[in-house]
Amino acid sequence: EVQLVESGGGLVKPGGSLRLSCAASGFTFSSYSMNWVRQAPGKGLEWVSSISSSSSYIYYADSVKGRFTISRDNAKNSLYLQMNSLRAEDTAVYYCASGVYYGSGSYFDWGQGTLVTVSS
Amino acid sequence: SSELTQDPAVSVALGQTVRITCQGDSLRSYYASWYQQKPGQAPVLVIYGKNNRPSGIPDRFSGSSSGNTASLTITGAQAEDEADYYCNSRDSSGNLEVFGGGTKLTVL
């Protein structure tokens, strides 16, 4: 069974930094692309970033490009999101999600999320 | 990039059938996946691909697609189906992911 456990969320001031982690188990982590998806309070889901299994391909949403950095450590079965220059609008629950990509589609398995609050 | 458009809210009488739709140009090239999210919980995959249900998802959930529109159908909606539903696919480039704005389903 896929298990994804996020950590590292909390309260941070605007302009500050935070590093999220996601511990994966129950599947062959090194074979899967991984993603971060966020959800602002009372709002919908927003894809943030993805990283391929070997870190060769990395993509970001325009809203976080240049401020957030996704990375992974396959030896530790872990995914990370370094978030810099945080803004109030980055306040959200951040979900770690493993991605299954096939031909003409994809889908995610999700962690339970970690809350990031950006406020002075 | 591309967008996926969903109706913000839909209601259905208990035991009746409801269809939730998702429109976007990328759906001409990529299948949608559908997620159910209840308050305070993480999303749960209910449909992916042409019409595939993960194990544990009731067979009253089904999916279909035509042109730029993907649909999630619940046949015989139950009270426990009341939730937010999100569609998701790759964008037209195939590199990025995009989510619809979500549909709040109310079971009357």
Side-chain angles (χ1 to χ4, degrees):
Chain A
E1 179 189 356
V2 172
Q3 287 206 336
L4 300 166
V5 179
E6 302 91 339
S7 61
L11 176 63
V12 60
K13 289 181 168 53
S17 298
L18 210 56
R19 189 194 196 207
L20 305 183
S21 299
C22 171
S25 61
F27 65 108
T28 305
F29 179 77
S30 59
S31 296
Y32 284 78
S33 292
M34 296 296 295
N35 296 262
W36 288 99
V37 179
R38 68 184 181 183
Q39 187 170 35
K43 302 296 185 183
L45 300 171
E46 179 189 16
W47 172 80
V48 172
S49 182
S50 67
I51 185 168
S52 62
S53 57
S54 61
S55 303
S56 298
Y57 300 96
I58 289 175
Y59 303 101
Y60 298 98
D62 287 343
S63 57
V64 306
K65 200 175 295 183
R67 300 187 299 123
F68 289 12
T69 302
I70 191 172
S71 62
R72 65 189 295 162
D73 185 335
N74 286 344
K76 294 182 178 179
N77 286 353
S78 294
L79 175 73
Y80 307 101
L81 185 68
Q82 177 66 43
M83 304 185 295
N84 298 331
S85 303
L86 283 162
R87 307 167 180 167
E89 54 264 37
D90 295 318
T91 294
V93 174
Y94 284 74
Y95 293 102
C96 165
S98 60
V100 176
Y101 295 85
Y102 58 92
S104 299
S106 59
Y107 63 85
F108 300 141
D109 284 311
W110 302 73
Q112 286 303 304
T114 187
L115 176 62
V116 172
T117 303
V118 183
S119 175
S120 56
Chain B
S1 62
S2 65
E3 294 181 351
L4 297 178
T5 301
Q6 298 182 241
D7 290 330
V10 171
S11 62
V12 61
L14 185 66
Q16 296 303 300
T17 296
V18 63
R19 176 177 292 179
I20 298 170
T21 61
C22 174
Q23 289 188 301
D25 287 342
S26 63
L27 298 178
R28 297 184 185 279
S29 304
Y30 297 102
Y31 288 117
S33 54
W34 290 93
Y35 301 91
Q36 177 193 71
Q37 187 180 36
K38 296 181 179 179
Q41 298 183 17
V44 172
L45 178 69
V46 294
I47 289 289
Y48 67 96
K50 194 171 184 179
N51 181 19
N52 300 297
R53 279 176 292 105
S55 93
I57 301 301
D59 61 5
R60 63 179 178 271
F61 289 88
S62 63
S64 62
S65 183
S66 178
N68 73 336
T69 301
S71 300
L72 172 70
T73 300
I74 307 174
T75 304
Q78 302 299 303
E80 60 264 32
D81 299 334
E82 187 163 288
D84 293 326
Y85 290 85
Y86 294 91
C87 61
N88 157 249
S89 83
R90 298 189 226 178
D91 78 339
S92 298
S93 75
N95 294 325
L96 310 184
E97 296 285 337
V98 61
F99 286 91
T103 297
K104 182 177 182 59
L105 175 66
T106 300
V107 180
L108 304 172

